Amino acid sequence: MTDLIFNVFILLTIIPCFWVALSSNIVHAAFSLLITLFGIAGLYVLLGADFIGVIQVIVYIGGILVLIIFGVMMTQRGKLLPLSIQLPGKLFGAVLTGVILAALLLSATRTLWPVAAVLGEPQLTSAAIGDLLLGKYLIPFEIASVLLLAALIGAVLIARRSVRGE
Amino acid sequence: MDWMIGFAILIVKLGVVLVGLLLLAAYLVLLERKFLGRLQIRYGPNRAGKFGLLQPLADTIKMLTKEDIVPEAADRVLFLLAPAVVAAEALLIFAVVPFGASVTLLGKKIPLVITDLNVGLLYVFALASLGVYGVALGGWASNSKYSLLGGIRGAAQMISYELSLGLSLVPIVMLARSFSLLDIVRAQAHYPFILVQPVSFMIFFISAMAETKRIPFDLPEAENELGAGYHTEYSGMRFGLFFLGEYVNLQVFGALVAVFFLGGWRGPFLPPVVWFLIKILVISILMIWVRGTLPRLRYDQLMHLGWKVLVPLALLNIVATGFVLLIIG
């Protein structure tokens, strides 16, 4: 049963990926990405990482992808311009993809994946993650938030400057 | 055998909740039209059946039999998909809403919730954030300027108010020490959280109204500027799905206010499920009342309220709650 659901999520993750890469309509590509991200969230949940799974949906689908679609909608004017990819670009892309695929396959097969001997009931993760973030990993967590805050302020500053036309 | 019984119970629960939600949505529309009519000193629908009680039925038949028009220049796939996203997202949220503690049937304890998720509150937000897609993609796929403007306004409004919606609930999680909706209701055994978190309640209520895109936050629809905004081009049952989504969302937020602030299903004398329905209805009536009272906000007022009032207030509320919890221990 778990294997079946796992395979469904794998297909849900991979098939829309082709559409993301091959579709000439950028909004369709973005929408396909939504299904892929959903599939990944499903895989997380299946692995017992319920917190990460839900956060995946909130951050990637509810946040980042909305911004992508928002940007596409705002910039698109008039008739949609279909994306076209030239042949040299395709060749370069194929070679690059091949190299990355080989590297990934090699590392995936050569690595020894330590698997827990007995897989019990999945533990509840959100409380443990919260404790770690505000305890053991407090300083990295705070540094990351300050960094993000700086990026946020920077983005606002750049946007304001271009509005004023300075 | 046990597996089969569990599965059957689940299917029955899903069916009951689904039928209940759709029925309640249909009659909320009638309630809204009647109550709004009263507020505006007119009768509202009163021809179909006694007091217009058959009006929802007549509306449903009308919507189902109308022609389903897809505009020539529309993006067909996304145009057909968008209304389903809105309706499905609203219905799916009810999977984690507890209607009561549990009942014992034939010696088996059945919890009155479809699934008690450990991360229930986050699940609600994950689904609520999906609602943006229905509005944005519906508006974009229609290929009409009114729809596109409505879609963009809707997306901007929903992602802005999602923030204050989420932040307003952090104190609730701090008090209940859990993301599970069942645990949050259990934590209110002695007093409902509205008594200790009135600020949080106000922020949540206002943000919820903005999320459901109702007057005074109905800029994405704004009939007198945009036709009907993101669903201008929709007809028949596809428009019906947008409509259904809106009224199921009304129930969703009614139920969430009940769970987070009003002690969920708790109440004296009456059975828990009845109390829960009463709370949903009271919140819904409150929202209809607001609709009949306030004018629409201007766009800059909308953004000002969201980003410069509600978000800072919610942050302050979190800090204050933290201090109090630290002192009490």
Side-chain angles (χ1 to χ4, degrees):
Chain A
M1 191 68 184
T2 317
D3 276 352
L4 180 77
I5 300 172
F6 181 75
N7 286 329
V8 167
F9 278 127
I10 288 284
L11 290 179
L12 210 62
T13 310
I14 292 177
I15 293 173
C17 274
F18 285 100
W19 204 246
V20 174
L22 300 175
S23 172
S24 61
N25 183 327
I26 193 161
V27 177
H28 284 188
F31 194 71
S32 310
L33 195 59
L34 185 148
I35 303 171
T36 295
L37 293 172
F38 239 121
I40 296 172
L43 289 178
Y44 280 135
V45 172
L46 213 58
L47 290 171
D50 48 357
F51 184 77
I52 306 279
V54 179
I55 291 295
Q56 156 89 7
V57 175
I58 293 180
V59 171
Y60 282 92
I61 298 181
I64 293 173
L65 196 60
V66 167
L67 285 185
I68 293 177
I69 286 188
F70 207 54
V72 171
M73 276 169 52
M74 296 277 257
T75 47
Q76 209 91 65
R77 279 168 210 224
K79 197 94 183 91
L80 277 177
L81 196 67
L83 297 172
S84 69
I85 302 161
Q86 303 297 319
L87 193 61
K90 270 185 188 166
L91 270 177
F92 178 68
V95 170
L96 195 65
T97 315
V99 170
I100 294 175
L101 184 68
L104 281 177
L105 278 180
L106 221 66
S107 57
T109 46
R110 289 282 173 84
T111 314
L112 287 172
W113 301 99
V115 179
V118 186
L119 286 174
E121 278 282 294
Q123 301 290 309
L124 302 180
T125 54
S126 37
I129 290 175
D131 278 341
L132 283 179
L133 277 185
L134 293 179
K136 194 176 172 192
Y137 298 108
L138 180 64
I139 292 173
F141 179 64
E142 285 300 322
I143 290 175
S145 20
V146 171
L147 201 68
L148 284 173
L149 184 67
L152 208 69
I153 296 172
V156 170
L157 203 71
I158 292 169
R160 294 289 284 199
R161 195 172 291 159
S162 64
V163 165
R164 284 195 201 125
E166 282 168 10
Chain B
M1 193 60 200
D2 238 22
W3 184 83
M4 288 282 277
I5 292 174
F7 192 70
I9 290 174
L10 185 67
I11 295 294
V12 169
K13 276 200 278 194
L14 282 174
V16 169
V17 170
L18 186 66
V19 171
L21 280 180
L22 296 182
L23 211 66
L24 199 57
Y27 275 90
L28 266 179
V29 178
L30 181 69
L31 179 73
E32 168 145 39
R33 291 175 66 185
K34 276 292 209 191
F35 188 37
L36 217 57
R38 280 287 139 199
L39 291 174
Q40 295 162 352
I41 322 183
R42 52 188 178 83
Y43 287 115
N46 61 356
R47 294 304 163 96
K50 196 104 180 122
F51 309 116
L53 277 176
L54 294 179
Q55 188 68 38
L57 197 69
D59 281 343
T60 313
I61 293 171
K62 183 190 78 175
M63 294 234 204
L64 282 172
T65 49
K66 262 186 162 179
E67 190 187 351
D68 176 25
I69 301 167
V70 180
E72 190 94 332
D75 186 313
R76 200 178 159 81
V77 178
L78 291 182
F79 186 84
L80 298 183
L81 212 61
V85 173
V86 172
E89 162 264 318
L91 288 169
L92 277 173
I93 291 184
F94 265 94
V96 292
V97 173
F99 293 89
S102 59
V103 288
T104 313
L105 208 70
L106 300 173
K108 255 186 96 70
K109 224 174 136 203
I110 302 170
L112 285 179
V113 53
I114 292 174
T115 169
D116 174 35
L117 222 52
N118 171 42
V119 287
L121 193 141
L122 295 173
Y123 167 88
V124 168
F125 280 114
L127 279 175
S129 64
L130 275 182
V132 181
Y133 286 96
V135 175
L137 290 176
W140 181 83
S142 299
N143 207 352
S144 134
K145 54 185 155 196
Y146 295 129
S147 298
L148 182 62
L149 277 174
I152 289 174
R153 279 190 193 179
Q157 176 176 328
M158 287 173 87
I159 49 181
S160 300
Y161 279 82
E162 229 162 61
L163 213 61
S164 48
L165 195 74
L167 288 174
S168 73
L169 289 183
V170 175
I172 299 296
V173 176
M174 287 159 84
L175 287 172
R177 293 170 179 277
S178 171
F179 284 129
S180 155
L181 267 59
L182 212 55
D183 286 347
I184 291 175
V185 175
R186 282 199 195 108
Q188 300 175 67
H190 302 299
Y191 52 87
F193 281 160
I194 187 173
L195 295 179
V196 282
Q197 289 292 343
V199 180
S200 186
F201 169 74
M202 286 307 294
I203 299 170
F204 185 81
F205 193 75
I206 296 172
S207 310
M209 269 196 292
E211 282 287 303
T212 46
K213 304 178 287 298
R214 293 173 58 78
I215 292 175
F217 298 101
D218 70 331
L219 286 102
E221 292 171 36
E223 287 84 354
N224 35 11
E225 306 166 31
L226 299 179
Y230 57 92
H231 51 55
T232 305
E233 304 293 336
Y234 283 89
S235 62
M237 203 50 214
R238 287 192 200 284
F239 168 73
L241 279 178
F242 272 122
F243 208 62
L244 180 73
E246 184 182 332
Y247 282 88
V248 174
N249 258 324
L250 200 62
Q251 295 173 59
V252 164
F253 282 111
L256 291 182
V257 168
V259 166
F260 294 140
F261 297 101
L262 303 179
W265 64 78
R266 277 174 222 286
F269 309 124
L270 297 170
V273 180
V274 176
W275 264 110
F276 196 66
L277 286 178
I278 289 175
K279 285 172 184 173
I280 292 182
L281 274 180
V282 167
I283 300 295
S284 306
I285 289 171
L286 216 60
M287 286 198 181
I288 296 169
W289 196 352
V290 170
R291 175 181 172 174
T293 312
L294 294 180
R296 184 182 304 135
L297 288 173
R298 224 170 44 219
Y299 192 75
D300 60 314
Q301 291 171 330
L302 175 86
M303 286 296 153
H304 180 90
L305 179 67
W307 288 100
K308 295 185 183 168
V309 179
L310 293 184
V311 170
L313 207 60
L315 288 173
L316 276 179
N317 193 29
I318 293 172
V319 175
T321 309
F323 264 118
V324 172
L325 281 181
L326 200 65
I327 292 167
I328 295 174

